């Protein structure tokens, strides 16, 4: 049932659990955000920490790394933008009145969601809030953005989608579609009977997929607000989603990941063998990587569902993972970033995608080992 994976490096510089891990678009750097209130930048060339980002007054909930700037959000109600070369804080975005859960940088704008029941969009350079999206009755958890040019043939194109559409998911059991230009709520997506924990967008298809504590995934037309289909096979909360090549991959508290046909909702296969909830997942070159509350990461053949490798070494839940070249990066609540050799796994070139990808201790030195070439 799959062999064990070998760790190339263990980086335990953080003094608290790592809540999120982001890979830069150019693949040169990683960004981790931690319970210790700091974020760190890491080089993918050698796995070493190249900058410590300090300034938040509480734990870092989420982070996003761009090629020239890093973005972090925190329980201190702020968002920060950082220079990736110097580690200097360039901007502080203030306005939320509770924990900031998620941020998203897209179309030269910064979007955020918060426990204060709002989502907001900010001017990247000036640090000023451009628009507030208010209407959810509880915490806003997850968000995704569709630019106007990603909505071809939208019947309501024009003013309604001129600034794109923002989709938010909330613990109030709804998702909402917002017109970014006006701040108006375009649609409320009602149907879930539990909190909406995750969502992914197929912008060209005008479709949002939402995962909930009610154990279902639902597909919605974001223009009309119509519920298109319900995916009902999970036996626990749907924690994470990814959309790849017309397939939806989901991770659940029922200890499984599943694969579905996006266009029909048909359940294709189940990825079992987890000892706890599937907290994060990532498809890469024919392999589905999962991270679990059992402190292990796993590699499955995405086509057959066969378990190929188990990566053991973390002490607590794996909150996030990334893959770059021949290296798997896992970030855990134990405070460690681990790098794993994934050479030898079958690699399949991905067909062209028309849909957008989804859009989360004591100080010890890093145990170094040569990294395999990308």
């Amino acid at each position: 049932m799959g062999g064990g994976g070998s760790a190339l490096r263990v980086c335990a510089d953080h003094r608290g659990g790592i809540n999120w891990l982001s890979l830069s678009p150019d693949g040169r750097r990683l960004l981790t955000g931690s319970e210790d209130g700091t974020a760190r930048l890491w080089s993918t060339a050698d796995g070493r920490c190249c900058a410590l980002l300090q300034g938040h007054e509480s734990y870092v909930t989420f982070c996003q790394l761009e090629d020239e700037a890093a973005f972090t959000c925190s329980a201190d109600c702020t968002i920060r933008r950082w220079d990736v070369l110097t580690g200097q804080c360039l901007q502080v975005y203030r306005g939320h009145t509770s924990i900031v859960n998620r941020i998203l940088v897209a179309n030269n704008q910064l979007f955020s969601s918060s426990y204060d029941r709002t989502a907001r969009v900010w001017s990247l350079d000036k640090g000023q809030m451009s628009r507030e999206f208010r209407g959810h009755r509880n915490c806003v958890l997850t968000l995704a953005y569709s630019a106007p040019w990603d909505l071809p043939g939208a019947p309501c194109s024009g003013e309604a989608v001129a600034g794109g559409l923002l989709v938010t998911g909330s613990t109030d059991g709804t998702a909402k579609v917002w017109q970014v230009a006006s701040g108006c709520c375009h649609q409320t997506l009602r149907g879930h009977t539990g909190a909406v924990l995750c969502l992914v967008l197929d912008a060209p298809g005008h479709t949002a997929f939402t995962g909930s504590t009610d154990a279902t995934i639902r597909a919605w037309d974001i223009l009309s607000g119509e519920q298109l289909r319900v995916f009902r096979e999970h036996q626990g909360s749907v924690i994470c989603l990814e959309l790849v090549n017309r397939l939806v991959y989901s991770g659940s508290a029922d200890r499984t990941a599943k694969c579905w046909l996006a266009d029909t909702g048909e359940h294709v296969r189940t990825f079992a063998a987890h000892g706890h909830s599937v907290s994060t997942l990532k498809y890469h070159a024919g392999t589905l990587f999962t991270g679990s509350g059992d402190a292990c990461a796993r590699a499955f053949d995405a086509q057959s569902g066969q378990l190929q490798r188990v990566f053991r070494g973390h002490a607590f839940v794996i909150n996030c993972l990334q893959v770059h070249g021949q290296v798997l990066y896992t970030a855990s609540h134990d405070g460690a970033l681990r790098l794993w050799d994934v050479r030898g796994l079958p690699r399949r070139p991905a067909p062209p995608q028309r849909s957008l990808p989804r859009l989360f201790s004591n100080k010890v030195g890093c145990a170094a080992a040569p990294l395999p070439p990308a």
Side-chain angles (χ1 to χ4, degrees):
M1 286 187 55
S6 57
L8 298 167
R9 185 184 287 268
V10 180
C11 303
D13 300 55
H14 280 297
R15 294 175 179 266
I18 299 175
N19 288 326
W20 203 255
L21 170 65
S22 179
L23 177 68
S24 64
D26 63 13
R28 295 175 59 192
R29 298 179 182 89
L30 287 158
L31 175 66
T32 52
S34 171
E35 291 280 321
D36 66 11
T38 72
R40 287 178 181 267
L41 283 163
W42 311 81
S43 167
T44 57
D46 59 13
R48 296 187 181 278
C49 181
C50 46
L52 172 63
L53 313 182
Q54 298 183 92
H56 281 298
E57 296 175 4
S58 187
Y59 59 90
V60 177
T61 54
F62 193 83
C63 56
Q64 181 174 337
L65 183 55
E66 297 297 303
D67 288 339
E68 297 181 358
F71 297 83
T72 57
C73 60
S74 170
D76 69 7
C77 309
T78 72
I79 305 159
R80 288 176 178 256
R81 178 167 61 97
W82 312 80
D83 187 297
V84 297
L85 297 179
T86 65
Q88 178 184 359
C89 181
L90 302 174
Q91 190 70 253
V92 182
Y93 306 82
R94 304 181 190 275
H96 279 298
T97 57
S98 189
I99 297 168
V100 185
N101 290 312
R102 292 287 185 270
I103 48 176
L104 173 64
V105 179
N107 194 23
N108 202 35
Q109 298 175 97
L110 171 64
F111 299 92
S112 59
S113 65
S114 170
Y115 269 90
D116 66 12
R117 306 183 182 188
T118 72
R120 303 181 187 219
V121 60
W122 312 77
S123 164
L124 272 182
D125 296 328
K126 296 180 181 178
Q128 298 174 340
M129 184 182 71
S130 306
R131 196 82 63 192
E132 180 182 74
F133 307 96
R134 186 176 289 274
H136 280 297
R137 290 178 289 106
N138 215 325
C139 165
V140 186
L141 286 177
T142 184
L143 71 174
Y145 172 74
S146 178
W149 51 84
D150 291 324
L151 296 162
C156 64
S157 56
E159 287 188 15
V161 299
L165 296 175
L166 178 69
V167 186
T168 56
S170 168
T171 56
D172 67 12
T174 71
K176 286 180 179 286
V177 184
W178 308 87
Q179 299 171 10
V180 172
S182 68
C184 294
C185 181
H186 181 71
Q187 297 290 349
T188 298
L189 311 180
R190 303 182 190 276
H192 282 297
T193 57
V196 177
L197 300 182
C198 51
L199 68 88
V200 290
L201 275 186
D202 169 20
H206 314 152
T207 306
F209 300 86
T210 54
S212 168
T213 58
D214 67 10
T216 70
I217 303 161
R218 295 171 191 253
W220 314 82
D221 185 311
I222 61 174
L223 300 181
S224 70
E226 178 188 0
Q227 181 177 283
L228 302 175
R229 62 196 70 93
V230 183
F231 304 62
R232 302 181 189 274
E233 289 286 342
H234 279 300
Q235 303 300 311
S237 297
V238 179
I239 297 170
C240 50
L241 291 172
E242 188 167 33
L243 176 63
V244 184
N245 307 327
R246 312 310 306 149
L247 296 172
V248 175
Y249 294 92
S250 57
S252 170
D254 67 9
R255 305 186 180 192
T256 71
K258 292 183 182 291
C259 177
W260 319 74
L261 297 181
D263 297 323
T264 66
E266 179 185 350
H267 173 226
V268 178
R269 67 187 59 88
T270 296
F271 305 88
H274 304 93
H276 206 281
S277 301
V278 177
S279 47
T280 182
L281 51 75
K282 177 73 68 175
Y283 174 94
H284 179 78
T287 298
L288 182 69
F289 294 93
T290 62
S292 172
D294 65 12
C296 293
R298 290 172 174 82
F300 295 88
D301 184 291
Q303 198 164 42
S304 69
Q306 181 180 358
L307 177 63
Q308 297 175 316
R309 204 168 291 178
V310 182
F311 305 90
R312 296 181 176 90
H314 283 295
F316 296 111
V317 57
I318 295 173
N319 289 323
C320 195
L321 54 81
Q322 294 286 348
V323 189
H324 177 65
Q326 298 293 303
V327 181
L328 168 67
Y329 302 86
T330 57
S332 167
H333 199 66
D334 64 11
L337 170 67
R338 287 179 177 258
L339 285 61
W340 310 88
D341 188 352
V342 297
R343 288 176 296 186
L345 293 174
R347 293 174 63 86
R348 296 188 183 94
Q353 296 184 51
R354 78 173 181 90
S355 50
L356 296 176
R358 182 174 62 163
L359 304 151
F360 261 56
S361 114
N362 294 323
K363 187 171 181 180
V364 182
C366 291
L371 300 189

